C-alpha cells in the first residue's frame, strides 16, 4: 500500500515491508510488537481541516492513515465519531477547571474495542481470510463477533468462563463459535494463539496484530479534532494490556503532525490495584513486567500479563503523563458518581480512568486549573452485576399513595 512506509519493531527498530511480516517481528519474537508507519507527507493533503470537514462521521474519515486499502470492502456497521461532552458542574464538584467525557460506550457493541475490531475484521477480509479468532476478557470478543457478523466472517472466540453474562450473550447472538475457557484470560490468550496457527485463522489479538492499534488510535484522532483549540491538559483512560492508551496517544500525535492541533495532552493511565503490572513498571521507571494473577472486578482490564506495555509506557512517558492504580471500591464509586451527575453509564473499566482521575486530583497530580478528557471505554449495561453493587437498592412498595408519600418525604431533601 503506497500510504504505508513499513512496520517498525518497537524492540529492535527494524523497519519491515508490509508483505514481509504478519504479526510480530521475526527477530524479536513475541516482544517485537510492530508499529505501522505512514507516508505522512504524502497523506497530509488528504487530512487537512477542509478535507476533514467533508469527511463522513465515522472512523473511516481517517482512511488515509489507516492500514486498509482505499477501495477495500468496509463494514456497514457504523463505528466511530462518538460525542465529546462537557461537564463544567461536575468539574467544579471535583475541583478541576473543566471535564470532558468521550462516550465510547456508544459504539456499536458498546465498547472502545469496536474501533480495533472494525479495522481488524476489515483487514481480515482484505487479506482474504474467511475466519477470524480472538481471545478477550469480553469486549474485544463481542466487538469482533459483531463485526464478523456484519462482514460475514466466521469467528472463533476464546473467553474466560467467568466473563460477564452480557458479553457472552453478545457472542452468542452474533453467532460466533464461543469457547468458554476454564482458565484465566492469559491462558485463553495462548490457546487462541496456538489455534490460529494450527487452523490458519486470522488473529485479532491487539498484542500481536499491528493493525488493531490503528483502530484504537481513531479515538485520539477524533478527540483531537473535536477538541481542537481547547486540547485538555490530561486524557484519562483505563489500562489493561496497554494498547488503548498507546493508540489514543498515536492519534493525538498524528493530529499534531497534520497541524489540526497545536499541543498534546498528558496521559493519565489508570490500572486496577488487582492488575497493575504496567503501573508498577511505570513507578519503577522501566519497561519490565512483574506479572501476577489478575484480581479485579473491572474484567476488561483484568490482565496479569500485559503485552503492549512497551507502547503504553513509552506513550505515557512521552506525554509527560502519570499512572495511578485504584481499588475496586473506587471504581464502583466513580461509576455511580459519573452516572448520577452526567447520565453516562460506564462499565467498571469504562470508568476506571475517572476513578484514577479522582485519585490524581487528591494526590495533586492533576491540578485545580487543569482540564481533563476522560474516555468512557465501555457501556455500563455490559456488566449490570457490578453496577448494582455501585448504587443503593431500589425500594419495593405496595400500590399505595401513602407509601409513595413516605418515600417522597424521605427523599425530597436529598
Ligand atoms: C480493553 C479495555 C480497556 C483497556 O484497553 P487495553 O488495550 O487492554 O489497555 C479499557 N476499557 C475497556 C472497557 C476495555 O474493554
Ligand atoms: Zn525486532
Amino acid at each position: 500500500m503506497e500510504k504505508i512506509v513499513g512496520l517498525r519493531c518497537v524492540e529492535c527498530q527494524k523497519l519491515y515491508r508490509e508483505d514481509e511480516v504478519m504479526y510480530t517481528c521475526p527477530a524479536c519474537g513475541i516482544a517485537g510488537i510492530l508499529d505501522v508507519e505512514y507516508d505522512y507527507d504524502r497523506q497530509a493533503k488528504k487530512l487537512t481541516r477542509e478535507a476533514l470537514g467533508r469527511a463522513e462521521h465515522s472512523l473511516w474519515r481517517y482512511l488515509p492513515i489507516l492500514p486498509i486499502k482505499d477501495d477495500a470492502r468496509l463494514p456497514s456497521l457504523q463505528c466511530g465519531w462518538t460525542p465529546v461532552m462537557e461537564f463544567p458542574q461536575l468539574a467544579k464538584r471535583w475541583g478541576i477547571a473543566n471535564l470532558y467525557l468521550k462516550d465510547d460506550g456508544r459504539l456499536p457493541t458498546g465498547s472502545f474495542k469496536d474501533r480495533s475490531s472494525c479495522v481488524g475484521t476489515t483487514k481480515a477480509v482484505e487479506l482474504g481470510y474467511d475466519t477470524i479468532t480472538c481471545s478477550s476478557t469480553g469486549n474485544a470478543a463481542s466487538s469482533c463477533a459483531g463485526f464478523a457478523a456484519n462482514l460475514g466472517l466466521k469467528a472463533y472466540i476464546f473467553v474466560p468462563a467467568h466473563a460477564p453474562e452480557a458479553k457472552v450473550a453478545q457472542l452468542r447472538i452474533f453467532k460466533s463459535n464461543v469457547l468458554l475457557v476454564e482458565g484465566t484470560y492469559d491462558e485463553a490468550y495462548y490457546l487462541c494463539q496456538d489455534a490460529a496457527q494450527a487452523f490458519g485463522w486470522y488473529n485479532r489479538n491487539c498484542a500481536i496484530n499491528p493493525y488493531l492499534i490503528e483502530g484504537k488510535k481513531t479515538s485520539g484522532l477524533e478527540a483531537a479534532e473535536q477538541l481542537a483549540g481547547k486540547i485538555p491538559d490530561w486524557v484519562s483512560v483505563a489500562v489493561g494490556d496497554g494498547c488503548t492508551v498507546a493508540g489514543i496517544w498515536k492519534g493525538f500525535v498524528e493530529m499534531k503532525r497534520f497541524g489540526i492541533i497545536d499541543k498534546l495532552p498528558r496521559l493519565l493511565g489508570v490500572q486496577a490495584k488487582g492488575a497493575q503490572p504496567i503501573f508498577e513498571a511505570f513507578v519503577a521507571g522501566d519497561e519490565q513486567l512483574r506479572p501476577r494473577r489478575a484480581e479485579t472486578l473491572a474484567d476488561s482490564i483484568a490482565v496479569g500479563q500485559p503485552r503492549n506495555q512497551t507502547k503504553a509506557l513509552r506513550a505515557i512517558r512521552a506525554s509527560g503523563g502519570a499512572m495511578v492504580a485504584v481499588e475496586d471500591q473506587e471504581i464502583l464509586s466513580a461509576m455511580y458518581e459519573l452516572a448520577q451527575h452526567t447520565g453516562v453509564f460506564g462499565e467498571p473499566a469504562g470508568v476506571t480512568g475517572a476513578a484514577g482521575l479522582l485519585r490524581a486530583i487528591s494526590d495533586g497530580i492533576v491540578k485545580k486549573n487543569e482540564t481533563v478528557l476522560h474516555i468512557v471505554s465501555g457501556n455500563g449495561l455490559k456488566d449490570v452485576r457490578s453496577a448494582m453493587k455501585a448504587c443503593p437498592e431500589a425500594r419495593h412498595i405496595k400500590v399505595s399513595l401513602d407509601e409513595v408519600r413516605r418515600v417522597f418525604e424521605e427523599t425530597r431533601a436529598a
Side-chain angles (χ1 to χ4, degrees):
M1 237 178 278
E2 279 177 321
K3 60 185 166 183
I4 294 180
V5 173
L7 285 81
R8 193 179 298 279
C9 171
V10 299
E11 286 295 316
C12 70
Q13 305 301 322
K14 183 167 179 203
L15 187 69
Y16 293 93
R17 279 197 327 270
E18 251 179 294
D19 58 358
E20 272 181 305
V21 279
M22 184 77 184
Y23 299 116
T24 51
C25 169
C28 301
I30 187 111
I33 302 205
L34 300 171
D35 189 51
V36 186
E37 289 188 7
Y38 298 86
D39 185 344
Y40 288 111
D41 294 336
R42 177 198 168 93
Q43 298 305 89
K45 54 182 174 299
K46 297 180 190 153
L47 288 157
T48 58
R49 234 172 242 140
E50 298 69 50
L52 286 168
R54 289 188 302 268
E56 65 173 289
H57 285 165
S58 81
L59 57 75
W60 297 115
R61 67 197 278 105
Y62 307 113
L63 185 58
I65 44 166
L66 289 175
I68 300 294
K69 288 194 179 129
D70 290 340
D71 60 353
R73 191 180 135 226
L74 303 178
S76 51
L77 197 56
Q78 199 277 345
C79 187
W81 205 251
T82 54
V84 169
M85 297 165 278
E86 189 176 356
F87 296 97
Q89 290 307 94
L90 186 55
K92 202 166 176 189
R93 179 179 157 88
W94 289 2
I96 52 172
N98 209 349
L99 175 72
Y100 300 98
L101 297 181
K102 185 168 175 62
D103 187 9
D104 270 4
R106 297 191 190 195
L107 289 169
T109 76
S111 87
F112 191 100
K113 299 294 194 297
D114 282 331
R115 297 182 180 278
S116 36
S117 289
C118 180
V119 171
T121 50
T122 305
K123 192 73 188 172
V125 171
E126 183 187 293
L127 294 171
Y129 285 86
D130 61 7
T131 305
I132 192 164
T133 189
C134 160
S135 66
S136 153
T137 55
N139 285 335
S142 21
S143 71
C144 184
F147 278 92
N150 181 265
L151 286 167
L153 284 166
K154 270 203 221 150
Y156 287 87
I157 309 281
F158 296 74
V159 281
H162 56 73
E165 229 178 357
K167 298 181 183 180
V168 177
Q170 287 182 297
L171 297 177
R172 290 170 49 189
I173 209 77
F174 292 136
K175 201 168 184 276
S176 62
N177 298 290
V178 188
L179 300 153
L180 294 169
V181 183
E182 308 280 344
T184 62
Y185 167 57
D186 297 306
E187 288 164 326
Y189 172 85
Y190 284 115
L191 190 58
C192 169
Q193 177 119 324
D194 293 346
Q197 212 154 40
F199 310 120
W201 304 332
Y202 190 62
N203 193 340
R204 179 242 174 270
N205 279 334
C206 265
I208 60 156
N209 189 318
Y211 299 117
L212 296 176
I213 192 169
E214 299 304 303
K216 291 189 171 187
K217 83 180 179 189
T218 61
S219 186
L221 292 169
E222 289 176 15
E225 233 193 299
Q226 290 164 318
L227 289 169
K230 45 180 180 177
I231 292 297
D233 297 293
W234 293 89
V235 174
S236 69
V237 72
V239 177
D241 174 60
C243 187
T244 296
V245 72
I248 291 169
W249 179 243
K250 188 169 184 182
F252 273 100
V253 169
E254 288 181 342
M255 278 308 195
K256 180 148 181 285
R257 186 184 266 264
F258 291 124
I260 305 292
I261 58 172
D262 55 11
K263 76 167 236 192
L264 292 168
R266 298 210 256 171
L267 297 172
L268 180 67
V270 186
Q271 293 212 285
K273 278 223 151 98
Q276 58 171 24
I278 300 185
F279 166 74
E280 286 171 8
F282 184 83
V283 172
D286 57 30
E287 289 178 359
Q288 238 48 61
L289 289 185
R290 299 137 186 96
R292 56 185 68 132
R293 212 185 157 84
E295 211 55 84
T296 169
L297 65 71
D299 61 293
S300 305
I301 49 167
V303 185
Q305 196 177 332
R307 290 174 184 84
N308 267 298
Q309 83 280 1
T310 308
K311 279 187 179 176
L313 287 160
R314 287 181 195 171
I316 296 167
R317 287 179 177 135
S319 77
M323 286 199 78
V324 289
V326 293
E327 303 282 359
D328 282 358
Q329 197 45 54
E330 295 175 77
I331 295 173
L332 290 179
S333 34
M335 183 191 289
Y336 188 36
E337 170 81 10
L338 212 58
Q340 67 179 294
H341 293 287
T342 68
V344 178
F345 177 20
E347 69 163 88
V351 302
T352 297
L357 171 59
L358 285 167
R359 181 172 273 237
I361 294 168
S362 71
D363 288 354
I365 298 169
V366 172
K367 308 274 185 327
K368 277 190 190 343
N369 58 350
E370 293 187 312
T371 59
V372 182
L373 164 68
H374 166 57
I375 312 272
V376 181
S377 48
N379 194 301
L381 292 174
K382 289 233 177 206
D383 178 8
V384 289
R385 204 168 289 180
S386 292
M388 301 287 220
K389 285 190 208 149
C391 49
E393 295 220 17
R395 291 164 220 256
H396 285 269
I397 61 160
K398 301 222 164 52
V399 186
S400 136
L401 189 59
D402 281 342
E403 291 214 15
V404 178
R405 183 171 292 113
R406 193 159 50 75
V407 173
F408 182 42
E409 271 154 15
E410 275 170 35
T411 53
R412 67 195 306 176

